[in-house]
Amino acid sequence: MGRIYHAWMDVKATFTGKDRRSILTACEFGEDQAQKAYDAALSSDAGMHADIRQLIMSQKDRLKMHHDLLEDLRDKN
């Protein structure tokens, strides 16, 4: 799915331009989709080990931090 999304972003940039706000908005959307994937992984009943769950939660937290940074940058433009 990540490759498809990146290809879509390239196509979208071709038609909508490459202004900073559009790019940041598209990146923020990608971060939102990644958050949903992390939420799905954490809510599954896969019976994952605690260390794996902790790793996923840590990555999800860092992703949220970067999402918030993108949002701040977008709002400043």
Side-chain angles (χ1 to χ4, degrees), residues 35-58:
Q35 281 288 335
K36 289 178 185 178
Y38 276 95
D39 288 339
L42 290 168
S43 67
S44 72
D45 292 332
M48 66 181 80
H49 291 274
D51 56 337
I52 300 297
R53 179 172 288 280
Q54 183 60 41
L55 176 63
I56 292 171
M57 289 173 58
S58 174

PDB file of all heavy atoms in Angstrom, residues 35-58:
ATOM      1  N   GLN A  35      -1.172   5.646  10.939  1.00  0.00           N
ATOM      2  CA  GLN A  35      -1.703   5.527  12.306  1.00  0.00           C
ATOM      3  C   GLN A  35      -2.815   4.481  12.364  1.00  0.00           C
ATOM      4  O   GLN A  35      -2.890   3.687  13.307  1.00  0.00           O
ATOM      5  CB  GLN A  35      -2.238   6.874  12.806  1.00  0.00           C
ATOM      6  CG  GLN A  35      -1.192   7.834  13.279  1.00  0.00           C
ATOM      7  CD  GLN A  35      -0.567   7.445  14.602  1.00  0.00           C
ATOM      8  OE1 GLN A  35      -1.150   6.745  15.425  1.00  0.00           O
ATOM      9  NE2 GLN A  35       0.651   7.902  14.819  1.00  0.00           N
ATOM     10  N   LYS A  36      -3.672   4.478  11.346  1.00  0.00           N
ATOM     11  CA  LYS A  36      -4.753   3.486  11.302  1.00  0.00           C
ATOM     12  C   LYS A  36      -4.189   2.065  11.217  1.00  0.00           C
ATOM     13  O   LYS A  36      -4.724   1.143  11.847  1.00  0.00           O
ATOM     14  CB  LYS A  36      -5.677   3.767  10.119  1.00  0.00           C
ATOM     15  CG  LYS A  36      -6.517   4.999  10.314  1.00  0.00           C
ATOM     16  CD  LYS A  36      -7.383   5.272   9.101  1.00  0.00           C
ATOM     17  CE  LYS A  36      -8.132   6.581   9.273  1.00  0.00           C
ATOM     18  NZ  LYS A  36      -8.948   6.892   8.089  1.00  0.00           N
ATOM     19  N   ALA A  37      -3.122   1.894  10.458  1.00  0.00           N
ATOM     20  CA  ALA A  37      -2.499   0.572  10.345  1.00  0.00           C
ATOM     21  C   ALA A  37      -1.900   0.141  11.684  1.00  0.00           C
ATOM     22  O   ALA A  37      -2.029  -1.022  12.082  1.00  0.00           O
ATOM     23  CB  ALA A  37      -1.425   0.588   9.257  1.00  0.00           C
ATOM     24  N   TYR A  38      -1.259   1.063  12.381  1.00  0.00           N
ATOM     25  CA  TYR A  38      -0.717   0.745  13.704  1.00  0.00           C
ATOM     26  C   TYR A  38      -1.835   0.410  14.680  1.00  0.00           C
ATOM     27  O   TYR A  38      -1.727  -0.535  15.456  1.00  0.00           O
ATOM     28  CB  TYR A  38       0.131   1.903  14.245  1.00  0.00           C
ATOM     29  CG  TYR A  38       1.553   1.889  13.741  1.00  0.00           C
ATOM     30  CD1 TYR A  38       1.929   2.627  12.629  1.00  0.00           C
ATOM     31  CD2 TYR A  38       2.527   1.134  14.376  1.00  0.00           C
ATOM     32  CE1 TYR A  38       3.225   2.616  12.169  1.00  0.00           C
ATOM     33  CE2 TYR A  38       3.831   1.110  13.933  1.00  0.00           C
ATOM     34  CZ  TYR A  38       4.176   1.861  12.820  1.00  0.00           C
ATOM     35  OH  TYR A  38       5.458   1.837  12.361  1.00  0.00           O
ATOM     36  N   ASP A  39      -2.924   1.184  14.638  1.00  0.00           N
ATOM     37  CA  ASP A  39      -4.063   0.898  15.513  1.00  0.00           C
ATOM     38  C   ASP A  39      -4.622  -0.496  15.250  1.00  0.00           C
ATOM     39  O   ASP A  39      -4.943  -1.233  16.183  1.00  0.00           O
ATOM     40  CB  ASP A  39      -5.170   1.940  15.323  1.00  0.00           C
ATOM     41  CG  ASP A  39      -4.808   3.297  15.899  1.00  0.00           C
ATOM     42  OD1 ASP A  39      -3.920   3.361  16.775  1.00  0.00           O
ATOM     43  OD2 ASP A  39      -5.413   4.292  15.468  1.00  0.00           O
ATOM     44  N   ALA A  40      -4.728  -0.859  13.972  1.00  0.00           N
ATOM     45  CA  ALA A  40      -5.244  -2.181  13.612  1.00  0.00           C
ATOM     46  C   ALA A  40      -4.323  -3.281  14.129  1.00  0.00           C
ATOM     47  O   ALA A  40      -4.786  -4.297  14.658  1.00  0.00           O
ATOM     48  CB  ALA A  40      -5.415  -2.292  12.097  1.00  0.00           C
ATOM     49  N   ALA A  41      -3.028  -3.072  13.997  1.00  0.00           N
ATOM     50  CA  ALA A  41      -2.069  -4.075  14.474  1.00  0.00           C
ATOM     51  C   ALA A  41      -2.165  -4.237  15.990  1.00  0.00           C
ATOM     52  O   ALA A  41      -2.137  -5.357  16.509  1.00  0.00           O
ATOM     53  CB  ALA A  41      -0.651  -3.682  14.075  1.00  0.00           C
ATOM     54  N   LEU A  42      -2.297  -3.123  16.700  1.00  0.00           N
ATOM     55  CA  LEU A  42      -2.360  -3.179  18.155  1.00  0.00           C
ATOM     56  C   LEU A  42      -3.685  -3.738  18.659  1.00  0.00           C
ATOM     57  O   LEU A  42      -3.744  -4.316  19.743  1.00  0.00           O
ATOM     58  CB  LEU A  42      -2.112  -1.791  18.753  1.00  0.00           C
ATOM     59  CG  LEU A  42      -0.677  -1.286  18.618  1.00  0.00           C
ATOM     60  CD1 LEU A  42      -0.595   0.191  18.973  1.00  0.00           C
ATOM     61  CD2 LEU A  42       0.275  -2.109  19.470  1.00  0.00           C
ATOM     62  N   SER A  43      -4.746  -3.585  17.899  1.00  0.00           N
ATOM     63  CA  SER A  43      -6.046  -4.072  18.359  1.00  0.00           C
ATOM     64  C   SER A  43      -6.332  -5.504  17.912  1.00  0.00           C
ATOM     65  O   SER A  43      -7.326  -6.087  18.336  1.00  0.00           O
ATOM     66  CB  SER A  43      -7.159  -3.153  17.860  1.00  0.00           C
ATOM     67  OG  SER A  43      -7.274  -3.228  16.458  1.00  0.00           O
ATOM     68  N   SER A  44      -5.454  -6.064  17.096  1.00  0.00           N
ATOM     69  CA  SER A  44      -5.684  -7.435  16.637  1.00  0.00           C
ATOM     70  C   SER A  44      -5.455  -8.413  17.787  1.00  0.00           C
ATOM     71  O   SER A  44      -4.758  -8.127  18.752  1.00  0.00           O
ATOM     72  CB  SER A  44      -4.756  -7.782  15.471  1.00  0.00           C
ATOM     73  OG  SER A  44      -3.432  -7.942  15.935  1.00  0.00           O
ATOM     74  N   ASP A  45      -6.033  -9.566  17.647  1.00  0.00           N
ATOM     75  CA  ASP A  45      -5.874 -10.615  18.650  1.00  0.00           C
ATOM     76  C   ASP A  45      -4.787 -11.590  18.217  1.00  0.00           C
ATOM     77  O   ASP A  45      -4.915 -12.794  18.386  1.00  0.00           O
ATOM     78  CB  ASP A  45      -7.201 -11.368  18.840  1.00  0.00           C
ATOM     79  CG  ASP A  45      -8.256 -10.488  19.492  1.00  0.00           C
ATOM     80  OD1 ASP A  45      -7.868  -9.581  20.246  1.00  0.00           O
ATOM     81  OD2 ASP A  45      -9.448 -10.715  19.244  1.00  0.00           O
ATOM     82  N   ALA A  46      -3.717 -11.071  17.685  1.00  0.00           N
ATOM     83  CA  ALA A  46      -2.654 -11.912  17.146  1.00  0.00           C
ATOM     84  C   ALA A  46      -1.808 -12.556  18.237  1.00  0.00           C
ATOM     85  O   ALA A  46      -1.002 -13.435  17.957  1.00  0.00           O
ATOM     86  CB  ALA A  46      -1.755 -11.090  16.222  1.00  0.00           C
ATOM     87  N   GLY A  47      -1.977 -12.148  19.462  1.00  0.00           N
ATOM     88  CA  GLY A  47      -1.203 -12.724  20.552  1.00  0.00           C
ATOM     89  C   GLY A  47       0.283 -12.439  20.425  1.00  0.00           C
ATOM     90  O   GLY A  47       1.108 -13.312  20.646  1.00  0.00           O
ATOM     91  N   MET A  48       0.620 -11.193  20.076  1.00  0.00           N
ATOM     92  CA  MET A  48       2.034 -10.861  19.891  1.00  0.00           C
ATOM     93  C   MET A  48       2.740 -10.746  21.238  1.00  0.00           C
ATOM     94  O   MET A  48       2.110 -10.470  22.259  1.00  0.00           O
ATOM     95  CB  MET A  48       2.175  -9.587  19.076  1.00  0.00           C
ATOM     96  CG  MET A  48       1.672  -8.341  19.745  1.00  0.00           C
ATOM     97  SD  MET A  48       1.851  -6.861  18.724  1.00  0.00           S
ATOM     98  CE  MET A  48       0.442  -7.014  17.652  1.00  0.00           C
ATOM     99  N   HIS A  49       4.022 -10.967  21.215  1.00  0.00           N
ATOM    100  CA  HIS A  49       4.841 -10.853  22.417  1.00  0.00           C
ATOM    101  C   HIS A  49       4.840  -9.410  22.908  1.00  0.00           C
ATOM    102  O   HIS A  49       4.699  -8.474  22.126  1.00  0.00           O
ATOM    103  CB  HIS A  49       6.280 -11.288  22.132  1.00  0.00           C
ATOM    104  CG  HIS A  49       6.398 -12.755  21.881  1.00  0.00           C
ATOM    105  ND1 HIS A  49       6.547 -13.666  22.893  1.00  0.00           N
ATOM    106  CD2 HIS A  49       6.383 -13.468  20.734  1.00  0.00           C
ATOM    107  CE1 HIS A  49       6.622 -14.878  22.382  1.00  0.00           C
ATOM    108  NE2 HIS A  49       6.522 -14.788  21.054  1.00  0.00           N
ATOM    109  N   ALA A  50       5.035  -9.248  24.197  1.00  0.00           N
ATOM    110  CA  ALA A  50       5.020  -7.921  24.814  1.00  0.00           C
ATOM    111  C   ALA A  50       6.088  -7.012  24.227  1.00  0.00           C
ATOM    112  O   ALA A  50       5.845  -5.812  24.037  1.00  0.00           O
ATOM    113  CB  ALA A  50       5.205  -8.046  26.323  1.00  0.00           C
ATOM    114  N   ASP A  51       7.269  -7.554  23.910  1.00  0.00           N
ATOM    115  CA  ASP A  51       8.324  -6.706  23.358  1.00  0.00           C
ATOM    116  C   ASP A  51       7.972  -6.208  21.953  1.00  0.00           C
ATOM    117  O   ASP A  51       8.285  -5.074  21.593  1.00  0.00           O
ATOM    118  CB  ASP A  51       9.677  -7.414  23.364  1.00  0.00           C
ATOM    119  CG  ASP A  51       9.675  -8.738  22.625  1.00  0.00           C
ATOM    120  OD1 ASP A  51       8.599  -9.346  22.473  1.00  0.00           O
ATOM    121  OD2 ASP A  51      10.765  -9.173  22.199  1.00  0.00           O
ATOM    122  N   ILE A  52       7.280  -7.019  21.176  1.00  0.00           N
ATOM    123  CA  ILE A  52       6.834  -6.601  19.843  1.00  0.00           C
ATOM    124  C   ILE A  52       5.749  -5.539  19.973  1.00  0.00           C
ATOM    125  O   ILE A  52       5.772  -4.519  19.280  1.00  0.00           O
ATOM    126  CB  ILE A  52       6.310  -7.799  19.016  1.00  0.00           C
ATOM    127  CG1 ILE A  52       7.402  -8.853  18.838  1.00  0.00           C
ATOM    128  CG2 ILE A  52       5.738  -7.340  17.692  1.00  0.00           C
ATOM    129  CD1 ILE A  52       8.608  -8.374  18.060  1.00  0.00           C
ATOM    130  N   ARG A  53       4.805  -5.763  20.886  1.00  0.00           N
ATOM    131  CA  ARG A  53       3.746  -4.768  21.118  1.00  0.00           C
ATOM    132  C   ARG A  53       4.361  -3.440  21.550  1.00  0.00           C
ATOM    133  O   ARG A  53       3.960  -2.373  21.073  1.00  0.00           O
ATOM    134  CB  ARG A  53       2.760  -5.268  22.172  1.00  0.00           C
ATOM    135  CG  ARG A  53       1.646  -4.271  22.475  1.00  0.00           C
ATOM    136  CD  ARG A  53       0.589  -4.870  23.379  1.00  0.00           C
ATOM    137  NE  ARG A  53      -0.221  -5.844  22.669  1.00  0.00           N
ATOM    138  CZ  ARG A  53      -1.224  -5.543  21.856  1.00  0.00           C
ATOM    139  NH1 ARG A  53      -1.541  -4.283  21.648  1.00  0.00           N
ATOM    140  NH2 ARG A  53      -1.915  -6.481  21.258  1.00  0.00           N
ATOM    141  N   GLN A  54       5.360  -3.489  22.428  1.00  0.00           N
ATOM    142  CA  GLN A  54       6.016  -2.265  22.890  1.00  0.00           C
ATOM    143  C   GLN A  54       6.724  -1.556  21.735  1.00  0.00           C
ATOM    144  O   GLN A  54       6.678  -0.326  21.632  1.00  0.00           O
ATOM    145  CB  GLN A  54       7.010  -2.576  24.014  1.00  0.00           C
ATOM    146  CG  GLN A  54       7.678  -1.348  24.586  1.00  0.00           C
ATOM    147  CD  GLN A  54       6.692  -0.364  25.170  1.00  0.00           C
ATOM    148  OE1 GLN A  54       5.734  -0.745  25.825  1.00  0.00           O
ATOM    149  NE2 GLN A  54       6.904   0.913  24.911  1.00  0.00           N
ATOM    150  N   LEU A  55       7.368  -2.306  20.864  1.00  0.00           N
ATOM    151  CA  LEU A  55       8.037  -1.723  19.699  1.00  0.00           C
ATOM    152  C   LEU A  55       7.023  -1.020  18.791  1.00  0.00           C
ATOM    153  O   LEU A  55       7.249   0.112  18.350  1.00  0.00           O
ATOM    154  CB  LEU A  55       8.780  -2.809  18.911  1.00  0.00           C
ATOM    155  CG  LEU A  55       9.456  -2.360  17.616  1.00  0.00           C
ATOM    156  CD1 LEU A  55      10.548  -1.355  17.894  1.00  0.00           C
ATOM    157  CD2 LEU A  55       9.992  -3.572  16.876  1.00  0.00           C
ATOM    158  N   ILE A  56       5.898  -1.672  18.532  1.00  0.00           N
ATOM    159  CA  ILE A  56       4.855  -1.071  17.690  1.00  0.00           C
ATOM    160  C   ILE A  56       4.301   0.192  18.341  1.00  0.00           C
ATOM    161  O   ILE A  56       4.103   1.219  17.678  1.00  0.00           O
ATOM    162  CB  ILE A  56       3.735  -2.095  17.403  1.00  0.00           C
ATOM    163  CG1 ILE A  56       4.283  -3.212  16.516  1.00  0.00           C
ATOM    164  CG2 ILE A  56       2.534  -1.424  16.754  1.00  0.00           C
ATOM    165  CD1 ILE A  56       3.345  -4.387  16.342  1.00  0.00           C
ATOM    166  N   MET A  57       4.081   0.149  19.638  1.00  0.00           N
ATOM    167  CA  MET A  57       3.569   1.332  20.336  1.00  0.00           C
ATOM    168  C   MET A  57       4.576   2.485  20.291  1.00  0.00           C
ATOM    169  O   MET A  57       4.190   3.641  20.104  1.00  0.00           O
ATOM    170  CB  MET A  57       3.220   0.974  21.780  1.00  0.00           C
ATOM    171  CG  MET A  57       1.990   0.092  21.876  1.00  0.00           C
ATOM    172  SD  MET A  57       1.643  -0.545  23.543  1.00  0.00           S
ATOM    173  CE  MET A  57       1.491   0.946  24.480  1.00  0.00           C
ATOM    174  N   SER A  58       5.846   2.156  20.423  1.00  0.00           N
ATOM    175  CA  SER A  58       6.889   3.176  20.356  1.00  0.00           C
ATOM    176  C   SER A  58       6.943   3.815  18.965  1.00  0.00           C
ATOM    177  O   SER A  58       7.036   5.043  18.831  1.00  0.00           O
ATOM    178  CB  SER A  58       8.240   2.547  20.708  1.00  0.00           C
ATOM    179  OG  SER A  58       9.277   3.465  20.530  1.00  0.00           O
TER     180      SER A  58
END
